[in-house]
C-alpha cells in the first residue's frame, strides 16, 4: 500500500500516532521536500522515527514516481507530506498513478496551514478562496490572485495568501550551458508578499484592497515560536524583523470581520490606535 502521511506544521513530534506506526513499519519512507518545510532537519526526523528517509524533490515526484511506487503492490511505502497530504498542496497525480498500477492508497491526515491559521483569531468559516503569491521577476508578474481576492472581498470573506518557496530550483543560465546548478533555497516573507500585493493594486487600480487594508502576517504557524503581526499592508511591508524566520503566510481581513475577531487580532497590531481607526472607518467596528 501507498500511505500518504501528514506530518503537521512544526517538528518531528507533530506526526500522529497512526502515522508514526506506519512510518516505523514501511519498507521505504519518502519525504516530499519542495512544497513546504518542517522547522527541523531531516536528521531530527530520522532519529525520532527510527528510520532512514529519502528526500523526494519535485523531479522525483513529478518525473520519477515509479521509484516511489516500486513494489508498493506487495510492500508498504510511506510518502510524508508537511502539513496535510491534501491540504494546501495536493498529491493527486501520485495517487492516480498508484491507482493505475492497482496499488491501494491510504491517507493519514494532519494539521495544515488551512486549519492552523485559525490561531490568528479569525473564524475559519469566514475564509474564502486561498491564493498563492509567487516571487515576481523583471518579466513575470502573475496577478491571477487579485481576481480571487476580489471574489472573496465582494462577499466579505478573509483571504489566506500562501507565499512562495524555492527549493532546489535550477539556475537558468547554467541549464543553458548544459549544466544543472541549483539556486540556494529562498522563502518569501510577509513583507515581500505585502509589497507585491500593493504593486499589483497600483497596476490594477480596482481598489480590491489598498495599502491601508488590514492584514495579518503569520510566521511558523503551529510551532513553538509561532508569531503574528497585524496592521495595514503598508505596515506589514516592514514587519519581517518582528516575524522572524520562515515559513510566512499572510491574511487579508474580510469586510464582514466580526467584532470578536477584530478584538482578538488587535493584540497583534503594530499600531493599535491606527488599527482601531481603520477598523471603525473601513470595517464598521468600534
Amino acid at each position: 500500500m501507498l500511505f500518504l502521511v501528514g506530518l503537521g506544521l512544526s517538528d518531528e513530534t507533530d506526526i500522529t500516532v497512526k502515522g508514526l506506526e506506519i512510518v516505523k513499519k514501511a519498507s521505504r519512507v519518502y519525504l516530499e521536500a519542495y512544497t513546504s518545510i518542517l522547522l527541523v532537519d531531516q536528521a531530527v526526523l530520522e532519529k525520532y522515527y527510527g528510520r532512514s528517509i529519502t528526500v523526494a524533490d519535485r523531479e522525483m515526484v513529478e518525473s520519477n514516481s515509479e521509484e516511489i511506487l516500486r513494489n508498493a503492490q506487495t510492500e508498504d511505502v510511506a510518502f510524508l507530506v508537511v502539513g496535510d497530504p491534501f491540504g494546501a498542496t495536493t498529491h493527486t497525480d501520485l495517487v492516480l498513478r498508484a491507482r493505475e498500477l492497482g496499488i491501494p492508497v491510504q491517507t493519514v491526515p494532519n494539521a495544515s496551514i488551512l486549519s492552523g491559521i485559525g490561531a490568528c483569531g479569525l473564524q475559519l468559516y469566514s475564509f474564502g478562496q486561498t491564493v498563492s503569491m509567487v516571487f515576481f521577476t523583471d518579466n513575470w508578474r502573475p496577478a491571477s490572485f487579485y481576481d480571487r481576492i476580489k471574489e472573496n472581498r465582494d462577499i466579505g470573506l478573509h483571504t489566506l495568501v500562501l507565499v512562495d518557496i524555492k527549493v532546489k530550483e535550477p539556475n537558468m543560465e547554467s541549464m543553458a550551458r548544459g549544466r544543472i546548478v541549483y539556486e540556494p533555497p529562498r522563502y518569501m516573507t510577509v513583507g515581500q508578499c505585502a509589497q507585491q500585493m500593493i504593486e499589483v493594486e497600483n497596476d490594477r487600480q480596482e481598489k480590491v484592497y489598498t495599502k491601508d487594508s488590514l492584514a495579518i502576517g503569520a510566521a511558523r504557524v503551529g510551532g513553538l515560536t509561532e508569531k503574528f503581526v497585524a496592521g495595514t499592508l503598508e505596515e506589514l511591508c516592514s514587519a519581517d524583523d518582528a516575524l522572524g524566520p520562515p515559513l510566512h503566510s499572510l491574511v487579508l481581513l474580510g469586510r464582514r470581520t466580526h467584532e470578536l475577531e477584530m478584538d482578538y487580532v488587535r493584540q497583534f497590531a503594530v499600531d493599535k490606535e491606527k488599527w482601531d481607526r481603520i477598523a471603525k472607518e473601513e470595517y464598521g467596528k468600534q
Side-chain angles (χ1 to χ4, degrees):
M1 181 175 288
L2 172 67
F3 291 93
L4 275 66
V5 180
L7 297 184
L9 290 169
S10 179
D11 57 34
E12 74 279 12
T13 64
D14 282 349
I15 192 170
T16 64
V17 174
K18 180 185 292 186
L20 184 58
E21 290 177 348
I22 290 168
V23 168
K24 288 183 176 294
K25 295 177 182 178
S27 296
R28 300 190 309 281
V29 181
Y30 296 93
L31 172 64
E32 187 267 279
Y34 63 90
T35 59
S36 189
I37 59 168
L38 280 181
L39 303 181
V40 294
D41 294 331
Q42 177 185 345
V44 176
L45 296 183
E46 291 180 328
K47 181 178 180 180
Y48 189 78
Y49 299 159
R51 296 296 310 274
S52 62
I53 297 173
T54 299
V55 173
D57 58 19
R58 184 189 298 273
E59 182 179 355
M60 173 179 279
V61 177
E62 295 182 351
S63 305
N64 194 24
S65 61
E66 61 270 16
E67 168 58 25
I68 297 173
L69 300 175
R70 176 173 48 86
N71 299 329
Q73 295 94 337
T74 56
E75 299 176 355
D76 289 339
V77 176
F79 184 76
L80 312 183
V81 181
V82 176
D84 183 89
F86 294 104
T89 303
T90 62
H91 292 282
T92 50
D93 282 351
L94 185 62
V95 172
L96 290 174
R97 290 172 196 156
R99 288 176 177 167
E100 288 175 359
L101 296 172
I103 298 169
V105 179
Q106 182 175 328
T107 303
V108 182
N110 208 322
S112 77
I113 188 61
L114 299 182
S115 57
I117 197 63
C120 75
L122 300 181
Q123 299 169 3
L124 293 178
Y125 283 1
S126 296
F127 278 79
Q129 303 168 85
T130 298
V131 303
S132 298
M133 175 70 74
V134 301
F135 284 109
F136 286 176
T137 66
D138 292 339
N139 52 15
W140 190 58
R141 297 164 60 88
S144 59
F145 68 88
Y146 188 90
D147 300 308
R148 304 289 81 75
I149 293 174
K150 184 178 188 302
E151 292 170 359
N152 290 344
R153 300 278 281 185
D154 285 346
I155 54 177
L157 299 179
H158 313 308
T159 300
L160 171 61
V161 184
L162 302 179
V163 301
D164 203 3
I165 70 170
K166 298 290 188 185
V167 178
K168 204 174 181 181
E169 292 287 323
N171 178 280
M172 295 297 106
E173 292 183 6
S174 297
M175 287 186 68
R177 299 190 185 100
R179 296 173 58 242
I180 298 180
V181 177
Y182 295 106
E183 300 278 6
R186 288 195 298 154
Y187 305 96
M188 182 179 284
T189 66
V190 161
Q192 291 170 315
C193 177
Q195 181 59 49
Q196 291 188 176
M197 292 183 71
I198 292 173
E199 291 174 10
V200 171
E201 175 57 47
N202 290 339
D203 291 340
R204 296 283 291 264
Q205 294 288 315
E206 296 179 35
K207 298 190 183 302
V208 170
Y209 50 82
T210 71
K211 62 182 178 61
D212 291 323
S213 294
L214 296 183
I216 306 167
R220 301 172 304 285
V221 172
L224 293 176
T225 61
E226 177 182 83
K227 179 77 173 180
F228 298 106
V229 174
T232 64
L233 277 178
E234 185 175 47
E235 287 174 325
L236 292 185
C237 288
S238 304
D240 288 347
D241 287 344
L243 285 166
L247 294 170
H248 287 192
S249 302
L250 184 142
V251 180
L252 276 175
L253 270 66
R255 298 195 183 279
R256 287 165 44 189
T257 303
H258 191 276
E259 288 184 9
L260 290 178
E261 293 178 287
M262 199 67 81
D263 288 345
Y264 192 101
V265 178
R266 184 182 185 273
Q267 67 181 306
F268 308 127
V270 174
D271 183 336
K272 290 182 171 55
E273 290 185 3
K274 186 174 183 180
W275 178 272
D276 292 340
R277 177 175 56 79
I278 294 177
K280 181 177 181 180
E281 294 174 355
E282 303 294 331
Y283 297 81
K285 309 300 178 184
Q286 298 296 325

